[in-house]
PDB file of all heavy atoms in Angstrom:
ATOM      1  N   THR A 177       9.378  -2.929  15.385  1.00 88.00           N
ATOM      2  CA  THR A 177       8.374  -2.295  16.270  1.00 88.00           C
ATOM      3  C   THR A 177       8.717  -2.696  17.708  1.00 88.00           C
ATOM      4  O   THR A 177       9.202  -3.799  17.984  1.00 88.00           O
ATOM      5  CB  THR A 177       6.962  -2.745  15.939  1.00 88.00           C
ATOM      6  OG1 THR A 177       6.844  -4.168  15.977  1.00 88.00           O
ATOM      7  CG2 THR A 177       6.504  -2.236  14.601  1.00 88.00           C
ATOM      8  N   TYR A 178       8.399  -1.801  18.631  1.00 93.00           N
ATOM      9  CA  TYR A 178       8.751  -2.000  20.036  1.00 93.00           C
ATOM     10  C   TYR A 178       7.609  -1.556  20.959  1.00 93.00           C
ATOM     11  O   TYR A 178       6.864  -0.600  20.627  1.00 93.00           O
ATOM     12  CB  TYR A 178       9.990  -1.165  20.429  1.00 93.00           C
ATOM     13  CG  TYR A 178      11.156  -1.289  19.462  1.00 93.00           C
ATOM     14  CD1 TYR A 178      11.406  -0.324  18.538  1.00 93.00           C
ATOM     15  CD2 TYR A 178      12.009  -2.394  19.520  1.00 93.00           C
ATOM     16  CE1 TYR A 178      12.469  -0.411  17.653  1.00 93.00           C
ATOM     17  CE2 TYR A 178      13.077  -2.490  18.645  1.00 93.00           C
ATOM     18  CZ  TYR A 178      13.296  -1.526  17.694  1.00 93.00           C
ATOM     19  OH  TYR A 178      14.352  -1.614  16.828  1.00 93.00           O
ATOM     20  N   ALA A 179       7.465  -2.210  22.067  1.00 94.00           N
ATOM     21  CA  ALA A 179       6.555  -1.746  23.096  1.00 94.00           C
ATOM     22  C   ALA A 179       7.140  -0.430  23.683  1.00 94.00           C
ATOM     23  O   ALA A 179       8.331  -0.290  23.809  1.00 94.00           O
ATOM     24  CB  ALA A 179       6.404  -2.773  24.228  1.00 94.00           C
ATOM     25  N   PRO A 180       6.269   0.535  23.986  1.00 94.00           N
ATOM     26  CA  PRO A 180       6.776   1.840  24.456  1.00 94.00           C
ATOM     27  C   PRO A 180       7.663   1.726  25.690  1.00 94.00           C
ATOM     28  O   PRO A 180       8.572   2.568  25.844  1.00 94.00           O
ATOM     29  CB  PRO A 180       5.474   2.596  24.776  1.00 94.00           C
ATOM     30  CG  PRO A 180       4.442   1.976  23.949  1.00 94.00           C
ATOM     31  CD  PRO A 180       4.794   0.517  23.876  1.00 94.00           C
ATOM     32  N   ASP A 181       7.383   0.743  26.564  1.00 95.00           N
ATOM     33  CA  ASP A 181       8.195   0.597  27.776  1.00 95.00           C
ATOM     34  C   ASP A 181       9.465  -0.230  27.587  1.00 95.00           C
ATOM     35  O   ASP A 181      10.201  -0.476  28.541  1.00 95.00           O
ATOM     36  CB  ASP A 181       7.356   0.035  28.928  1.00 95.00           C
ATOM     37  CG  ASP A 181       6.742  -1.299  28.583  1.00 95.00           C
ATOM     38  OD1 ASP A 181       6.941  -1.786  27.446  1.00 95.00           O
ATOM     39  OD2 ASP A 181       6.098  -1.896  29.471  1.00 95.00           O
ATOM     40  N   ASP A 182       9.706  -0.653  26.362  1.00 95.00           N
ATOM     41  CA  ASP A 182      10.903  -1.440  26.083  1.00 95.00           C
ATOM     42  C   ASP A 182      11.434  -1.090  24.676  1.00 95.00           C
ATOM     43  O   ASP A 182      11.640  -1.952  23.837  1.00 95.00           O
ATOM     44  CB  ASP A 182      10.579  -2.947  26.125  1.00 95.00           C
ATOM     45  CG  ASP A 182      11.841  -3.823  26.016  1.00 95.00           C
ATOM     46  OD1 ASP A 182      12.919  -3.321  26.357  1.00 95.00           O
ATOM     47  OD2 ASP A 182      11.704  -4.972  25.547  1.00 95.00           O
ATOM     48  N   CYS A 183      11.629   0.208  24.487  1.00 96.00           N
ATOM     49  CA  CYS A 183      12.010   0.751  23.188  1.00 96.00           C
ATOM     50  C   CYS A 183      13.439   1.233  23.217  1.00 96.00           C
ATOM     51  O   CYS A 183      13.783   2.161  23.962  1.00 96.00           O
ATOM     52  CB  CYS A 183      11.078   1.906  22.787  1.00 96.00           C
ATOM     53  SG  CYS A 183      11.545   2.735  21.252  1.00 96.00           S
ATOM     54  N   PRO A 184      14.314   0.587  22.450  1.00 96.00           N
ATOM     55  CA  PRO A 184      15.712   1.044  22.428  1.00 96.00           C
ATOM     56  C   PRO A 184      15.913   2.449  21.901  1.00 96.00           C
ATOM     57  O   PRO A 184      16.920   3.159  22.263  1.00 96.00           O
ATOM     58  CB  PRO A 184      16.422   0.029  21.519  1.00 96.00           C
ATOM     59  CG  PRO A 184      15.345  -0.564  20.704  1.00 96.00           C
ATOM     60  CD  PRO A 184      14.089  -0.536  21.528  1.00 96.00           C
ATOM     61  N   LEU A 185      15.028   2.908  21.064  1.00 96.00           N
ATOM     62  CA  LEU A 185      15.087   4.257  20.529  1.00 96.00           C
ATOM     63  C   LEU A 185      14.799   5.286  21.646  1.00 96.00           C
ATOM     64  O   LEU A 185      15.413   6.324  21.698  1.00 96.00           O
ATOM     65  CB  LEU A 185      14.110   4.448  19.387  1.00 96.00           C
ATOM     66  CG  LEU A 185      14.290   3.461  18.195  1.00 96.00           C
ATOM     67  CD1 LEU A 185      13.162   3.617  17.189  1.00 96.00           C
ATOM     68  CD2 LEU A 185      15.655   3.690  17.507  1.00 96.00           C
ATOM     69  N   CYS A 186      13.876   4.927  22.505  1.00 96.00           N
ATOM     70  CA  CYS A 186      13.584   5.796  23.674  1.00 96.00           C
ATOM     71  C   CYS A 186      14.820   5.831  24.594  1.00 96.00           C
ATOM     72  O   CYS A 186      15.230   6.881  25.051  1.00 96.00           O
ATOM     73  CB  CYS A 186      12.386   5.302  24.458  1.00 96.00           C
ATOM     74  SG  CYS A 186      10.758   5.590  23.640  1.00 96.00           S
ATOM     75  N   ARG A 187      15.384   4.667  24.813  1.00 95.00           N
ATOM     76  CA  ARG A 187      16.578   4.595  25.717  1.00 95.00           C
ATOM     77  C   ARG A 187      17.744   5.360  25.159  1.00 95.00           C
ATOM     78  O   ARG A 187      18.602   5.908  25.915  1.00 95.00           O
ATOM     79  CB  ARG A 187      16.960   3.120  25.949  1.00 95.00           C
ATOM     80  CG  ARG A 187      15.954   2.346  26.792  1.00 95.00           C
ATOM     81  CD  ARG A 187      16.538   1.060  27.321  1.00 95.00           C
ATOM     82  NE  ARG A 187      16.808   0.077  26.240  1.00 95.00           N
ATOM     83  CZ  ARG A 187      15.953  -0.782  25.777  1.00 95.00           C
ATOM     84  NH1 ARG A 187      14.724  -0.835  26.322  1.00 95.00           N
ATOM     85  NH2 ARG A 187      16.274  -1.615  24.822  1.00 95.00           N
ATOM     86  N   ALA A 188      17.815   5.452  23.775  1.00 96.00           N
ATOM     87  CA  ALA A 188      18.870   6.164  23.147  1.00 96.00           C
ATOM     88  C   ALA A 188      18.613   7.690  23.137  1.00 96.00           C
ATOM     89  O   ALA A 188      19.452   8.475  22.734  1.00 96.00           O
ATOM     90  CB  ALA A 188      19.065   5.720  21.747  1.00 96.00           C
ATOM     91  N   GLY A 189      17.434   8.089  23.672  1.00 94.00           N
ATOM     92  CA  GLY A 189      17.144   9.521  23.762  1.00 94.00           C
ATOM     93  C   GLY A 189      16.692  10.135  22.445  1.00 94.00           C
ATOM     94  O   GLY A 189      16.741  11.368  22.313  1.00 94.00           O
ATOM     95  N   ILE A 190      16.256   9.314  21.439  1.00 94.00           N
ATOM     96  CA  ILE A 190      15.806   9.852  20.192  1.00 94.00           C
ATOM     97  C   ILE A 190      14.351  10.302  20.328  1.00 94.00           C
ATOM     98  O   ILE A 190      13.497   9.456  20.725  1.00 94.00           O
ATOM     99  CB  ILE A 190      15.926   8.774  19.060  1.00 94.00           C
ATOM    100  CG1 ILE A 190      17.396   8.325  18.969  1.00 94.00           C
ATOM    101  CG2 ILE A 190      15.402   9.304  17.769  1.00 94.00           C
ATOM    102  CD1 ILE A 190      17.586   7.139  18.008  1.00 94.00           C
ATOM    103  N   PRO A 191      14.036  11.545  20.036  1.00 94.00           N
ATOM    104  CA  PRO A 191      12.676  12.012  20.205  1.00 94.00           C
ATOM    105  C   PRO A 191      11.680  11.161  19.368  1.00 94.00           C
ATOM    106  O   PRO A 191      11.980  10.833  18.220  1.00 94.00           O
ATOM    107  CB  PRO A 191      12.736  13.490  19.722  1.00 94.00           C
ATOM    108  CG  PRO A 191      14.174  13.831  19.834  1.00 94.00           C
ATOM    109  CD  PRO A 191      14.936  12.609  19.584  1.00 94.00           C
ATOM    110  N   VAL A 192      10.511  10.928  19.910  1.00 94.00           N
ATOM    111  CA  VAL A 192       9.515  10.159  19.216  1.00 94.00           C
ATOM    112  C   VAL A 192       8.548  11.074  18.515  1.00 94.00           C
ATOM    113  O   VAL A 192       8.217  12.170  19.029  1.00 94.00           O
ATOM    114  CB  VAL A 192       8.753   9.223  20.174  1.00 94.00           C
ATOM    115  CG1 VAL A 192       7.977   9.995  21.228  1.00 94.00           C
ATOM    116  CG2 VAL A 192       7.803   8.272  19.409  1.00 94.00           C
ATOM    117  N   VAL A 193       8.177  10.710  17.312  1.00 91.00           N
ATOM    118  CA  VAL A 193       7.246  11.507  16.523  1.00 91.00           C
ATOM    119  C   VAL A 193       5.961  10.716  16.285  1.00 91.00           C
ATOM    120  O   VAL A 193       6.019   9.545  15.898  1.00 91.00           O
ATOM    121  CB  VAL A 193       7.905  11.864  15.170  1.00 91.00           C
ATOM    122  CG1 VAL A 193       6.864  12.530  14.239  1.00 91.00           C
ATOM    123  CG2 VAL A 193       9.089  12.803  15.355  1.00 91.00           C
TER     124      VAL A 193
END
Side-chain angles (χ1 to χ4, degrees):
T177 55
Y178 311 101
D181 58 356
D182 187 26
C183 176
L185 302 173
C186 288
R187 290 195 294 271
I190 301 173
V192 63
V193 172

